[in-house]
Amino acid sequence: MTPPSRLLRCSIVPETTACSGVPVMATAGDDHQQRFVTGLRQHGTVVGAADDRHRLLRQIRRLINDADHRQQMSDAGIALIDGHGPARVSRRLLASQIQFRAATPRDTSQLFTWRNDPEVRSVSFNHHPIAWDSHQQWLEQTLREPDCLQLIASERGGRPLGQIRFDLDSARQSAQLSISIDSSRRGRGLGTVVLEHACGEAVRRWPELRSITAMVRPENVAAINMLGKAGFDLASAVATNGHPARRFERVFDTAVGSQSLRRSA
């Protein structure tokens, strides 16, 4: 169905109608509104209403008679204003309070606690608790491995938030991630923010990186939602250690530089 059009005096309304996919002809009442209308017009989401009565009538007739033009405006509005702006602003504010550092042997106890968290173990491909000696050996090897990036995320004040690990593959073009957030900090959207910015840390460590992947059990809904919000797409259904798994991937757009990410096809 072809979207209808509306003639509106500029206010917050054009932004709302663009998000809803309604083509708009807008007129501005002051310079601030004019800049707003100009920006939307440049994106193809509105038509700036002419001051001249005859030109305005021609514009209205075109909108009424040109269904393809109205559809293009509708598509452009939905693409420009997707309704998730408040969530992005919230994540940006949260990100300003988060910092990363490389893990050290001093983090042995904290990492042991995170790895053995009952909720973490329940959604891991190996449910069994990790022994202290085994954990120590694992961390010593991890910290020596040049193709492994083990990060600790914390608040600016130093309070730890969680851990993120990236393991680079042999071709040095893809890394598999593992992430866990402290149990006291879950449910606040921090996992998505930590993951988004940790990916940037991985890019800076390995500029040749082309993709980042994650293996998740299908019942791990929280992780699946987090990955989706952080720009990861479901790439395939596989099996790991005899368990069904979902492989998620975020692909780098090499055409615009190694630090820009795009969603995988």
Side-chain angles (χ1 to χ4, degrees), residues 8-14 26-29 32-34 36-37 40:
L8 300 166
R9 183 177 180 84
C10 182
S11 64
I12 194 63
V13 176
T27 178
H32 173 73
Q33 292 180 350
Q34 185 58 56
F36 184 60
V37 171
L40 291 176

Side-chain angles (χ1 to χ4, degrees), residues 146-168:
D147 290 340
C148 177
L149 177 61
Q150 176 69 65
L151 297 172
I152 302 295
S154 62
E155 295 177 335
R156 291 292 178 186
R159 182 178 180 181
L161 295 174
Q163 67 83 28
I164 316 93
R165 189 179 76 253
F166 297 93
D167 292 296
L168 193 64

Side-chain angles (χ1 to χ4, degrees), residues 5-137:
S5 57
R6 297 286 185 272
L7 176 61
L8 300 166
R9 183 177 180 84
C10 182
S11 64
I12 194 63
V13 176
E15 181 178 306
T16 304
T17 54
C19 180
S20 303
V22 177
V24 170
M25 179 178 290
T27 178
D30 55 39
D31 290 343
H32 173 73
Q33 292 180 350
Q34 185 58 56
R35 288 194 295 271
F36 184 60
V37 171
T38 299
L40 291 176
R41 189 174 67 242
Q42 290 172 346
H43 284 282
T45 65
V46 305
V47 171
D51 295 330
D52 178 79
R53 177 174 179 272
H54 296 291
R55 287 180 56 207
L56 177 60
L57 288 174
R58 287 197 297 270
Q59 288 178 321
I60 294 173
R61 290 193 188 100
R62 183 189 176 193
L63 275 180
I64 292 173
N65 297 322
D66 193 339
D68 289 341
H69 185 210
R70 295 202 307 275
Q71 188 62 58
Q72 290 171 2
M73 292 176 66
S74 175
D75 294 342
I78 293 172
L80 178 65
I81 303 174
D82 60 8
H84 297 297
R88 280 191 286 270
V89 171
S90 176
R91 291 200 296 270
R92 181 65 63 87
L93 292 173
L94 284 172
S96 68
Q97 303 301 315
I98 296 174
Q99 59 188 8
F100 295 95
R101 62 172 176 80
T104 72
R106 293 192 301 272
D107 298 305
T108 302
S109 180
Q110 179 65 81
L111 285 167
F112 181 70
T113 299
W114 283 334
R115 295 182 74 201
N116 271 322
D117 179 283
E119 188 172 342
V120 171
R121 299 264 42 94
S122 70
V123 294
S124 298
F125 292 102
N126 180 355
H127 292 326
H128 299 296
I130 300 169
W132 175 254
D133 290 344
S134 176
H135 170 70
Q136 285 184 305
Q137 294 173 7

